[in-house]
Amino acid sequence: MMHKVLIANRGEIALRVVRACREMGLKTLAVYSEADVHSLPVQLADEAICIGSAPASQSYLKADRILGAAEIGGADAVHPGYGFLAESATFAEQCEACRIKFIGPSPQAIRLMGDKIAARQMAHKVGVPTVPGSEGAISDENEGLKLATKIGFPVIIKSAAGGGGKGMRTVWNAATFLKAFLLARTEAEKAFGDGSVYIEKFIEDPHHIEFQVLADAHGHVIHVGERDCSLQRNYQKLVEEAPSTFLNSSLREKMGKAAVKLTEKCGYEGVGTIEFLVDKEGDFYFIEMNTRLQVEHTVTEEAMGIDLVQWQLRVANGEELTLRQKDIKCRRHAIECRINAEDPDNNFMPCPGHVDFYHEPGGYGVRMDSHVYADYVIPPYYDSLIGKVIATGETREEAIIRMSRALGEYLVGGIKTTIPLCKKIMLDPTYRAGGITTHFMKTFLQRTTETKKKKKK
Ligand code: MV4
């Protein structure tokens, strides 16, 4: 049985885990870097241990120090959050070796699905649609060119170890293929220490829709609906929502069944995400699996009325999933705006620093997940997420109106944030119409900077 959970993370997600543990009567042990001494999760956890200096490489990525802290603090489980060590099969193995429960899937499942080529092959094997492309890794550039020509341009070259857009290259014609292939391979080798790449047909202007899955150690697997994550910039999600306005009930059912099947077949346990691309025709393709809790899990929680982090802790504790697929119903429409300490008018440059003033939104249908408070200093060492505003409504329209209202109440002084940008998105007619694709942000930013230029004249 689990008694004390070490939280191997920081920021809003560390706080999210502290909250779930507290509600379940589990003790919490925060670990933190020297830059996070004054952070909220450190103050709110039952205990806290400093594990190193500010750079993540010297603290949040140091498996030995985290496991040392677990030993000293008497923690019997580790929650990795997202990022850092959350998708490290080696770390999950090290936890196992120390007899500490890693709250997440087995090292084998992490390793299998973390290899995008193996994940793709697995999906294909079990009859889940994948994007037409190479069977495995392509090591020879000429072989790559031959295959790309056969598939038909445009194609996309992806790295097996990658994810989130790193080491990806889109190629529009045969003339530019060889150069792009070699660049992708070099980039992958440099970024991940693994130069394996594969090729897929490039789906133009797709919808990015992901299914939340939940599996226990007794063979029960369900999905908790989808999230539409099409609103991104440079592979960074900005606004997510559930349910997707692009899916009808028959497509939703087909994709949900595919997500569950793949989760079953890879021997999964815990919470996970099956990512799909959906094209204009409504054809869907599996692209990758995330073997962790995600930033945007909150929209699923609010739309479906399920505490995913509590379930994650329960199934890690060996408890049986009592939720059945037929009980999973979408109750509300939920939208999340990610608020980053960044300057949208200066190419989204990070803006860490002192928070002079801080007032969070609240009221009916508004949830705020943030570790920030007035007088807090946002350290420059980590990602720039400072909070997530989640608005729910009976309808999408109501959720959008409520989100606009909430963003108007969100007052942050001393640093630049993406709050004004999110406000503009909520007012945008194209966004309000629904069914946007991954192309939205590009045209949105062009539109809004053009009006700015006109104003200057
Ligand atoms: C693609 C694609 C088109 N075709 N794969 C980007 C992040 C990574 N997880 C997968 N990505 C893409 N893969 C094929 N075969 C287009 C993207 C993509 C994208 C995906 C989701 C959200 C935004 C995106 C923006 C540009 C490209």
Side-chain angles (χ1 to χ4, degrees), residues 131-132 156 158 163-166 168 170 200-204 206-208 229-230 232 234-235 275 277 287-288 438-439:
V131 190
I156 184 165
K158 296 183 177 183
K166 253 192 222 145
M168 281 181 13
T170 309
E200 282 177 356
K201 173 89 189 153
F202 181 68
I203 311 289
E204 287 183 66
H207 302 263
H208 185 220
C229 300
S230 299
Q232 324 199 358
N234 286 355
Y235 314 125
E275 282 189 22
L277 295 180
I287 51 166
E288 51 192 80
T438 51
H439 200 63

Side-chain angles (χ1 to χ4, degrees), residues 435-452:
I436 59 153
T437 70
T438 51
H439 200 63
F440 173 82
M441 251 339 251
K442 206 168 158 185
T443 51
F444 173 82
L445 287 173
Q446 276 165 2
R447 276 204 302 281
T448 48
T449 43
E450 249 153 52
T451 42
K452 228 177 266 163

